[in-house]
Amino acid sequence: CVIDLTFVDTPNDQLSAYYPGGGRLAFNRVGVGASGAAASSAGDGERVTAAGESVQLIVIALPKAGGPMVEVTYSLTDGDDFLTVTSRYSNPHKEAITVELEDRVRADRSFTAAADAKTNVSWWDDEWFGQAYGLIPVNAAIEGLADDATPSRNGRDPVRYAIDGTSSVELPPGGSVELVRRLVPAGSLLALRARAAEMAEQPLRRVAVAVTDAGGGVPGAMVVASNATGRYAAGRTDAEGRLAVELPTTGQGWSLEASAVGRGSTT
């Protein structure tokens, strides 16, 4: 599983664990790879390293009776602000088997969780500690979402993916199926939902927010964006009281509410 994920320039890891396959599989390391300029990779006992313009870590879960062989590749490429996770399920048996396409995330303490069908993202948001994580499938859809809702969910429930309309895929002998998704960190739910909208090729409008009082910029102020359907997402201002917001150009009006301890709120 992935137990740490954050940005190098603004480190703030809050992830407990991300389990491809929902934590039901026992993976063994196979190896690492790298490509591009000055690429290198090496393994020494329990430690592996890789460097290059693109790097990969590959792990395999061996098949059990009635179960698939599963190969998971974690990929990171220069310029990506997400980790690409590719699972390849294959059937080595003489009979057909059924594969469940799902993941599970542990995001503990003050995280909340929800999902959005329009941008095909499931997220976990800790607005108090300023970190959010999203799962965005590339070749599948998150199962069980209505088109016009962003339902809250139990953060520890599995995320199920549908390929060709189903999360239970039947594999004939020798058959296989591949699931690709992006694990995305962000400094706020506002930033994460904007990134998901961008990946879904939805138009966005950039808004520069400055929260000030008589003493100047207010750091750590909470900025909540809402529209006609209710609360959309929130983020906090930086040390100078500023926050860059990107909002979908839905044709609806937006309101921004800024609040800070001891200062009340302004809309």
Side-chain angles (χ1 to χ4, degrees):
C1 63
V2 177
I3 61 170
D4 294 289
L5 187 65
T6 188
F7 293 111
V8 173
D9 55 351
T10 53
N12 184 25
D13 175 63
Q14 301 293 332
L15 181 69
S16 294
Y18 159 69
Y19 299 95
R24 297 179 288 105
L25 302 168
F27 290 101
N28 295 290
R29 188 183 74 240
V30 172
V32 292
S35 61
S40 64
S41 60
D44 180 16
E46 293 300 311
R47 182 179 178 84
V48 296
T49 61
E53 294 176 3
S54 180
V55 295
Q56 304 84 36
L57 170 67
I58 303 171
V59 295
I60 281 183
L62 297 176
K64 297 181 180 179
M69 167 92 72
V70 185
E71 179 180 292
V72 175
T73 302
Y74 298 101
S75 304
L76 188 62
T77 300
D78 278 355
D80 286 351
D81 55 358
F82 53 85
L83 183 70
T84 299
V85 185
T86 303
S87 296
R88 185 175 186 272
Y89 297 84
S90 57
N91 180 9
H93 308 289
K94 296 181 179 179
E95 300 82 22
I97 63 173
T98 299
V99 171
E100 300 294 335
L101 303 177
E102 66 179 35
D103 288 337
R104 194 182 300 268
V105 168
R106 272 194 58 195
D108 298 330
R109 302 185 304 277
S110 47
F111 275 91
T112 58
D116 178 25
K118 292 180 180 178
T119 52
N120 202 29
V121 59
S122 182
W123 71 74
W124 296 258
D125 174 42
D126 190 336
E127 66 180 27
W128 304 111
F129 287 90
Q131 191 75 337
Y133 296 95
L135 272 173
I136 303 175
V138 175
N139 64 336
I142 296 174
E143 190 179 60
L145 298 182
D147 290 340
D148 58 350
T150 53
S152 299
R153 55 189 302 275
N154 186 325
R156 293 201 179 191
D157 285 346
V159 177
R160 294 188 171 89
Y161 308 98
I163 293 180
D164 295 330
T166 180
S167 62
S168 298
V169 178
E170 184 173 297
L171 296 181
S176 65
V177 65
E178 194 168 84
L179 173 65
V180 183
R181 57 279 202 211
R182 293 165 174 167
L183 181 60
V184 186
S188 69
L189 184 55
L190 271 172
L192 179 64
R193 295 200 68 175
R195 192 68 180 95
E198 183 181 30
M199 290 181 182
E201 299 182 346
Q202 293 188 357
L204 294 165
R205 179 175 181 177
R206 187 175 179 86
V207 180
V209 179
V211 181
T212 63
D213 64 8
V218 179
M222 179 70 75
V223 178
V224 177
S226 302
N227 58 23
T229 62
R231 178 180 169 127
Y232 175 77
R236 291 186 181 273
T237 57
D238 62 15
E240 297 179 347
R242 299 184 180 276
L243 177 66
V245 179
E246 290 183 292
L247 297 171
T249 56
T250 60
Q252 298 176 343
W254 288 94
S255 67
L256 298 176
E257 180 186 16
S259 62
V261 175
R263 293 176 173 85
S265 64
T266 300
T267 300

